[in-house]
Amino acid sequence: GIQVEQSPPDLILQEGANSTLRCNFSDSVNNLQWFHQNPWGQLINLFYIPSGTKQNGRLSATTVATERYSLLYISSSQTTDSGVYFCAVVNNNDMRFGAGTRLTVKP
Amino acid sequence: DSGVTQTPKHLITATGQRVTLRCSPRSGDLSVYWYQQSLDQGLQFLIQYYNGEERAKGNILERFSAQQFPDLHSELNLSSLELGDSALYFCASSVGPWYEQYFGPGTRLTVT
């Protein structure tokens, strides 16, 4: 099945810093989503982005489907951004998640 | 609040038992999905229903089954429970198959 790799696995930032999270996938995908799992375990939908670029406040995402990767940008990070960020792709009627990037934002 | 509800929030049961997890999708969503999150396996897709019919199967064990009812709520049945079934079980919903998904708060299952 399709492989989904996220990098880096862990990221520690000072509040106010910017960061880029990456998601690589091994095959073509029908869609791609980014999620944030907060410290209470809730999975929050960030972007539905099978291709192109989207922005929502301090967050933006870009998916280059032909090159099989997606990037999530977080600008001016805040302590509330802490948690685990997952990308998930759909391929052959199956959804696969990456292992996630654990982000810690320090005040 | 995603609009997806799951009950119960927590469940503690013994090995060999059977449990039922319940999910109500967002208003207007016809697709419901079930996922399992465990420390060793990460997040895994289990099964998808669309308007009452099964549409896709992932890594769902034969001991597990699900259904979607005419009012679109869904139930995940887990039987002959083993210690390794302890996990967080999420339900998600979307307007159609593999559209943008919204997740419920999850049910934490502990098998002792």
Side-chain angles (χ1 to χ4, degrees), chain B residues 20-31:
Chain B
T20 298
L21 313 184
R22 183 187 168 101
C23 168
S24 292
R26 293 187 320 156
S27 176
D29 285 356
L30 298 180
S31 283

Side-chain angles (χ1 to χ4, degrees), chain A residues 5-76:
Chain A
E5 294 182 356
Q6 291 187 242
S7 59
D10 294 280
L11 188 57
I12 301 174
L13 299 175
Q14 209 65 38
E15 198 169 27
N18 302 328
S19 61
T20 301
L21 283 57
R22 188 176 181 103
C23 173
N24 291 334
F25 40 96
S26 61
D27 201 349
S28 60
V29 298
N30 302 109
N31 69 48
L32 184 148
Q33 278 193 260
W34 283 97
F35 297 95
H36 173 216
Q37 188 165 37
N38 64 24
W40 295 271
Q42 177 70 37
L43 275 166
I44 300 160
N45 179 26
L46 297 177
F47 294 102
Y48 174 81
I49 187 166
S51 63
T53 297
K54 290 188 177 180
Q55 180 155 8
N56 184 3
R58 296 179 297 103
L59 274 59
S60 64
T62 294
T63 297
V64 184
T66 52
E67 296 186 21
R68 299 179 183 169
Y69 73 89
S70 182
L71 301 174
L72 177 69
Y73 306 95
I74 305 174
S75 64
S76 305

Side-chain angles (χ1 to χ4, degrees), chain B residues 38-101:
Chain B
S38 62
L39 284 175
D40 55 342
Q41 300 287 336
L43 271 161
Q44 291 195 94
F45 165 64
L46 296 179
I47 198 163
Q48 177 197 158
Y49 282 83
Y50 173 71
N51 205 21
E53 294 193 2
E54 181 185 305
R55 284 295 295 258
K57 255 186 176 180
N59 292 328
I60 189 165
L61 299 173
E62 287 192 8
R63 300 184 285 108
F64 296 0
S65 65
Q67 54 184 325
Q68 186 180 28
F69 294 87
D71 67 351
L72 301 177
H73 91 272
S74 178
E75 293 181 356
L76 178 67
N77 300 297
L78 314 176
S79 62
S80 302
L81 285 167
E82 301 174 359
L83 296 178
D85 298 327
S86 296
L88 195 50
Y89 290 85
F90 287 104
C91 166
S93 73
S94 65
V95 295
W98 302 123
Y99 279 66
E100 188 170 10
Q101 294 181 45

